């Protein structure tokens, strides 16, 4: 994994991101540290607050390194959950996804 | 583990919770103001409700819910824990226990009592306590009330579903007709509803990681909250560390939420009810616009502007109320408020009805119960964890313990047999064998003690049950009674505990019904109008002693005596000590109650009590001081499985005399024996005379009394009857014996408490010392003592 790769890598999120998935997600995210990441959340059906914590922390950590960690595709469930939780970070919840 | 087992565990937990509940309420009643006590009480009801929900015990859930609601008002200091309220709550605890029992064993609960209490509890919660009489006179269940109210209000169909909203908290149905009438009690509640209509709450919710660890999910909580009203959610993520430092299972987010709802604060709080021990929750009335503004201002770096949440976005959450709907209702209500006249109000409910109809909302209680079940199914753990940490315990089937105890009993017998055969073959025995035997004996003893300790339980649960009996009898008799308990943690064998409840209940009833005077009489006698009943337990020389003391009038000895003469129990010439007169009340068929009440029964009282205590190997006695009250003292063996006994021979039979009964043993001298009357003999012991009782004669082992000089006298103390010297032929030794019930294996034999197996394999009878002593007192006092030939 080269750290200066500018072409973003795709991180595809699984369908279920509930309480039990947070640890695994965290590992995955850490494994992509250093690369620009495009998150594909189009399959996400269930999303728990702890996974949102991991994702938002990733966004902020990537941002601090001036890199991108952003959601490029999202399911309706993903969008709704973030809205419900009051998360409006542009990287996690791009404006264009809000109809 | 199947469902029934889980249910059984739930009921066991219920018992614990009920005990917790009652002791908490009693503490509050005694002036305890510790918020933790209120919390403990609340938790107890809450846990029962939660579990009951999981098993679909709707009656229990419904009642617990109302109870909990009122408790919550106390907890949040909205309601003062007044004596009146606590009285209602204590009775509610009783009903909750009844409902639990009914759910467990089937059977029914007095519906009118339940609904009366529900009305009272709700009235307290709404800040308008109704007089107890009025409440108990209302036979309708609260659910039925809106219907009853409906005909009064012409446009009422709309008002009806409104009145029992989702939270179930609106205690009194309101009708639009009554809005103008300020004096009406209902109006108060109605205007309450008005105030809560379209009110705004600010919720601060910060979960702890435990919340997630226990399977709760903030997303679901917020989703539930969104069903209460329209939300504006602001997530505060300041604590969120960098991804490297992040604990994926941690809790970093907290939320500031503005809820606009037509429901009240409790409805908002209720969303978090299964999670509240694992989060910081603050619900305040009114919008905290500043907080929203402040965080928005400071948060230029964190783009977390409050997000108004549109409920229509939720598709996967089953029936969902649209965000617009509560608002519509709110407007409707506002309209009704501004138009107090019935006519203008009339059209208003129509849109409300429409809104109700549009919403795919099930009948009010249903979604809640369903939610409770769903939530509880996966969150059972939480209710368990909410209980303060206690030493670790496991639940074991009683049968298993009993089997173990039986086996240990056999072991004891076997060990005794082994010891015996070693003694018999003395020639071959070496000191090593003897040493080994001694060690074995010690080990056996230790094993036995430890096994017995498993069955030992504090008497607390039984004592707590008595609290309820006292309340009920006090209510029935119109007396003021305070029950004081002492030594509740005294431990005794579970069998004893189980069998203790009945005689105790009887004695408590008696004490309240007959012992304590009416408040008027008490005041007249210069006593406190409130009678005190003291129930205490303590260990004394290997037995448990339970005392029931009242500060009532004491026993009227004149009346007892004349009654006994009247019944032919004694002759007018009989000279009895005060103590002996007092003990007459234990005689079968004796009752001094001039008026038979349905409380203390029909004169089958105290003798039944005495018999059941005796069947436990216990003794009972009474001491009484006229004007100052009576004390009933029961002394019971700690266990029914073993006892230390003295093995004696009587007329070629081997008997065991419980060691606890024996004060001393002595070898009578010829000069000490004195004749008295026709057949009585006395023995002089250090300047006192004590009646000599020939055990062999009493038990019909032999027709003629044996010569005392040839035997040994066991000085025994009986409860109430003073000392007696029991004559036996010889003492064989002293050992621990395993009690085998005669009743279970043969039949009850008067004068014999039980049997045991000796080291040589023979059966020996265990003497019922008290019965023998009673029998020795004279034939008039012991019609039940005509013994068949034993042995």
């Amino acid at each position: 994994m080269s750290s200066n790769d500018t072409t973003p890598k795709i991180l595809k999120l699984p369908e279920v991101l509930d309480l039990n998935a947070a640890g695994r997600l965290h590992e995955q995210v850490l494994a992509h540290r250093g690369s620009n990441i495009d998150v594909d959340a189009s399959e996400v059906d269930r999303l728990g607050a702890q996974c949102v914590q991991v994702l938002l922390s990733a966004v902020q950590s990537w941002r601090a390194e001036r890199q991108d960690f952003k959601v490029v595709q999202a399911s309706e469930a993903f969008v709704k959950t973030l809205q419900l939780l009051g998360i409006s970070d542009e990287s996690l919840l791009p404006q264009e996804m809000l109809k | 583990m199947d469902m029934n087992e889980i249910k059984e565990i739930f009921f066991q937990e219920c018992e614990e919770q009920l005990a917790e509940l009652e002791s908490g309420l009693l503490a509050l009643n005694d002036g305890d103001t510790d918020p933790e006590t209120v919390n403990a009480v609340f938790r107890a009801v809450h846990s029962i409700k939660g579990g009951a929900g999981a098993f679909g015990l709707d009656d229990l859930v419904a009642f617990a819910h109302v109870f909990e609601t009122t408790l919550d008002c106390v907890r949040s200091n909205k309601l003062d824990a007044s004596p009146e309220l606590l009285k209602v709550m204590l009775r509610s605890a009783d009903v909750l226990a009844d409902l639990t029992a009914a759910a467990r064993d089937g059977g029914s609960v007095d519906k009118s009592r339940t609904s009366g209490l529900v009305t009272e509890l709700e009235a307290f919660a709404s800040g308008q306590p109704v007089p107890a009489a009025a409440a108990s006179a209302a036979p309708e269940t609260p659910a039925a009330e809106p219907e009853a109210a409906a005909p009064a209000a012409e446009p009422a169909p709309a008002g009806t579903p409104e009145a029992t909203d989702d939270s179930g908290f609106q205690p009194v149905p309101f009708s639009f007709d009554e809005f103008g009438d300020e004096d009406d009690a209902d109006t108060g509640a109605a205007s309450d509803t008005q105030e809560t209509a379209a009110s705004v709450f600010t919720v601060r919710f910060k979960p702890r990681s435990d919340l997630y660890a226990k399977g709760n999910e903030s997303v679901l909580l917020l989703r539930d909250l969104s069903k209460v009203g329209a939300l504006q959610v602001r997530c505060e993520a300041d604590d969120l560390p960098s991804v490297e430092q992040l604990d994926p299972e941690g809790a970093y987010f907290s939320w500031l939420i503005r809820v606009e709802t037509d429901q009240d604060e409790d409805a908002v709080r209720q969303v978090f009810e299964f999670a509240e021990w694992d989060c910081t929750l603050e619900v305040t009335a009114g919008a905290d616009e500043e907080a929203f503004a402040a965080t928005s201002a400071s948060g230029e770096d964190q783009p977390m502007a409050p997000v108004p949440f549109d409920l229509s976005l939720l598709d996967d959450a089953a029936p969902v109320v649209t965000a617009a709907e509560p608002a519509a209702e709110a407007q409707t209500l506002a309209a009704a408020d501004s138009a107090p006249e019935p006519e203008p109000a009339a059209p208003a409910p129509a849109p409300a009805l429409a809104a109700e109809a549009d919403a795919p909302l099930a009948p009010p209680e249903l979604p809640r119960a369903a939610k409770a079940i769903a939530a509880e199914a996966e969150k059972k753990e939480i209710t368990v964890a909410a209980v303060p940490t206690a030493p670790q315990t496991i639940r074991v089937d009683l049968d298993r313990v009993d089997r173990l105890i039986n086996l240990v009993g056999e072991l004891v017998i076997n060990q005794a047999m082994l010891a015996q055969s070693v003694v018999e073959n003395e020639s071959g025995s070496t000191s090593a064998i003897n040493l080994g035997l001694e060690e074995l004996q010690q080990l056996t003893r230790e094993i036995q003690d430890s096994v017995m300790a498993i069955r030992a339980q504090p008497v607390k649960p039984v004592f707590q049950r008595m609290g309820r009996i006292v309340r009920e009898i006090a209510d029935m008799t119109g007396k003021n009674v305070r029950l004081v308990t002492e030594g509740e943690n005294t431990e005794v064998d579970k069998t004893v505990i189980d069998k203790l409840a009945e005689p105790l209940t009887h004695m408590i009833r008696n004490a309240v019904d007959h012992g304590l005077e009416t408040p008027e009489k008490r005041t007249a006698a210069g006593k406190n109008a409130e009678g005190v009943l003291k129930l205490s337990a303590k260990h004394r020389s290997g037995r448990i002693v339970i005392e029931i003391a009242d500060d009532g009038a004491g026993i009227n000895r004149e009346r007892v005596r004349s009654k006994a003469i009247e019944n032919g129990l004694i002759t007018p010439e009989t000279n009895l000590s005060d103590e002996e007169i007092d003990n007459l009340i234990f005689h079968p068929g004796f009752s001094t109650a001039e008026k038979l009440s349905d409380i203390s029964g029909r004169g089958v009282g105290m003798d039944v009590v005495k018999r059941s205590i005796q069947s436990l190997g216990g003794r009972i006695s009474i001491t009484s001081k006229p004007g100052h009250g009576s004390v009933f003292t029961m002394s019971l063996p700690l266990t029914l499985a073993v006892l230390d006994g003295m093995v004696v021979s009587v007329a070629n039979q081997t008997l065991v005399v419980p060691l606890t009964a024996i004060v001393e043993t002595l070898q009578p001298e010829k000069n000490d024996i004195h004749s008295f009357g026709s057949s009585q003999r006395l023995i002089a012991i250090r300047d006192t005379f004590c009646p000599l009782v020939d055990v062999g004669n009493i038990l019909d082992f032999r027709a003629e009394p044996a010569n005392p000089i040839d035997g040994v006298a066991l000085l025994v103390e009986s409860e109430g009857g003073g000392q007696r010297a029991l004559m036996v032929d010889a003492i064989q030794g002293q050992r621990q014996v395993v009690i085998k019930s005669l009743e279970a294996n043969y039949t009850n034999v008067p004068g014999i408490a039980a049997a045991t197996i000796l080291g040589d394999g023979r059966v020996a009878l265990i003497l019922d010392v008290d019965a023998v002593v009673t029998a020795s007192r004279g034939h008039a006092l012991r019609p039940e003592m005509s013994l068949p030939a034993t042995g």
Side-chain angles (χ1 to χ4, degrees), chain B residues 185-204:
Chain B
D186 280 356
T187 318
S191 48
D192 270 1
T193 318
Q194 292 301 304
E195 279 159 29
T196 55
S199 44
V200 173
F201 296 100
T202 303
V203 179
R204 279 164 216 275

Side-chain angles (χ1 to χ4, degrees), chain A residues 2-67:
Chain A
S2 96
S3 60
N4 287 324
D5 197 346
T6 45
T7 48
K9 296 190 168 188
I10 304 284
L11 174 64
K12 190 162 171 81
L13 298 183
E15 240 175 272
V16 176
L17 282 175
D18 62 7
L19 299 167
N20 304 320
R24 170 110 187 83
L25 177 67
H26 188 229
E27 283 168 22
Q28 282 181 325
V29 168
L30 283 179
H32 286 83
R33 197 75 167 103
S35 318
N36 286 321
I37 303 293
D38 279 353
V39 178
D40 177 0
S42 58
E43 299 283 304
V44 174
D45 187 40
R46 257 181 19 221
L47 179 61
Q50 282 181 326
C51 286
V52 177
Q53 287 181 159
V54 174
L55 292 175
L56 186 64
S57 169
V59 166
Q60 292 176 352
S61 305
W62 257 255
R63 196 175 286 150
E65 311 263 303
R66 301 191 180 279
Q67 284 184 314

Side-chain angles (χ1 to χ4, degrees), chain B residues 444-509:
Chain B
T444 319
R445 183 118 204 177
E446 268 177 45
I447 293 177
Q448 189 152 30
D449 287 348
S450 315
V451 171
M452 290 306 156
I454 298 180
R455 284 191 60 107
Q457 305 228 308
V459 291
K460 197 171 178 179
V462 184
F463 275 25
Q464 277 182 334
R465 247 186 282 172
M466 295 308 131
R468 168 178 188 174
I469 307 282
V470 168
R471 284 196 294 279
E472 284 179 354
I473 306 297
D475 273 359
M476 269 194 235
T477 54
K479 293 175 183 175
N480 279 341
V481 188
R482 188 156 58 92
L483 179 72
V484 181
T485 54
E486 221 172 67
E488 298 156 305
N489 291 323
T490 312
E491 288 191 336
V492 66
D493 191 272
K494 180 149 172 46
T495 335
V496 179
I497 289 193
D498 290 346
K499 293 189 179 160
L500 205 54
E502 209 184 298
L504 259 187
T505 307
H506 217 97
M507 288 164 72
I508 296 261
R509 288 180 165 190

Side-chain angles (χ1 to χ4, degrees), chain B residues 408-552:
Chain B
V408 172
E410 297 299 325
L411 180 68
V412 171
I413 293 170
N414 203 269
Q415 177 261 323
M417 285 179 171
L418 189 61
Q420 183 120 355
S421 44
V422 168
V423 171
E424 277 163 13
N425 301 309
E426 215 170 345
S427 56
S429 74
T430 64
S431 62
I433 294 182
N434 281 327
L435 208 65
L437 264 179
E438 245 165 64
E439 273 173 18
L440 178 65
Q441 187 174 358
Q442 213 160 12
L443 272 176
T444 319
R445 183 118 204 177
E446 268 177 45
I447 293 177
Q448 189 152 30
D449 287 348
S450 315
V451 171
M452 290 306 156
I454 298 180
R455 284 191 60 107
Q457 305 228 308
V459 291
K460 197 171 178 179
V462 184
F463 275 25
Q464 277 182 334
R465 247 186 282 172
M466 295 308 131
R468 168 178 188 174
I469 307 282
V470 168
R471 284 196 294 279
E472 284 179 354
I473 306 297
D475 273 359
M476 269 194 235
T477 54
K479 293 175 183 175
N480 279 341
V481 188
R482 188 156 58 92
L483 179 72
V484 181
T485 54
E486 221 172 67
E488 298 156 305
N489 291 323
T490 312
E491 288 191 336
V492 66
D493 191 272
K494 180 149 172 46
T495 335
V496 179
I497 289 193
D498 290 346
K499 293 189 179 160
L500 205 54
E502 209 184 298
L504 259 187
T505 307
H506 217 97
M507 288 164 72
I508 296 261
R509 288 180 165 190
N510 250 303
V512 178
D513 196 23
H514 300 316
L516 293 172
E517 316 93 321
T518 56
E520 300 79 47
K521 276 195 193 158
R522 290 184 65 89
T523 322
K527 293 188 198 174
N528 191 332
E530 187 183 56
V532 176
L533 200 60
K534 198 169 138 192
L535 186 57
S536 65
K538 59 185 172 226
H539 281 156
R540 203 166 61 193
S541 60
R543 292 172 79 86
I544 182 171
V545 176
I546 296 176
E547 279 188 358
I548 300 170
D550 65 62
D551 67 344

Side-chain angles (χ1 to χ4, degrees), chain B residues 220-350:
Chain B
L220 295 177
L221 291 169
L222 287 173
R223 185 172 291 170
D224 284 346
L225 189 60
S226 70
K227 289 176 200 165
V228 173
L231 306 186
Q232 254 193 318
V233 185
R234 170 173 192 87
C235 177
E236 283 164 5
D238 297 358
D239 295 341
L240 196 65
S242 73
V243 73
E244 282 81 11
Q245 276 141 24
L246 179 100
D247 171 7
E249 319 247 285
Y252 304 100
F253 285 168
S254 62
W255 284 273
L256 180 66
I257 308 154
R258 181 182 189 275
V259 191
E260 195 173 334
T261 175
D262 59 332
Q263 296 180 28
D264 60 7
E265 189 180 321
D266 291 316
V268 176
R269 282 190 181 274
Q270 197 134 34
V271 168
F272 298 93
E273 66 173 333
F274 292 109
E276 62 188 315
W277 313 109
D278 299 312
C279 68
T280 318
L281 183 69
E282 222 181 90
V283 180
T284 45
D288 195 346
E289 308 291 358
E290 265 179 48
F292 271 92
T295 40
S296 319
S298 73
E300 83 285 341
D301 195 42
Q302 7 148 339
M304 295 287 176
V307 179
F309 183 68
D310 179 3
L311 263 165
S312 62
L313 289 171
L314 294 172
D315 53 354
D316 46 323
V320 165
V321 186
T322 62
E325 194 251 336
E329 272 181 30
Q331 278 163 13
T332 318
L333 289 166
D337 189 31
S338 62
E341 295 300 317
E343 279 86 15

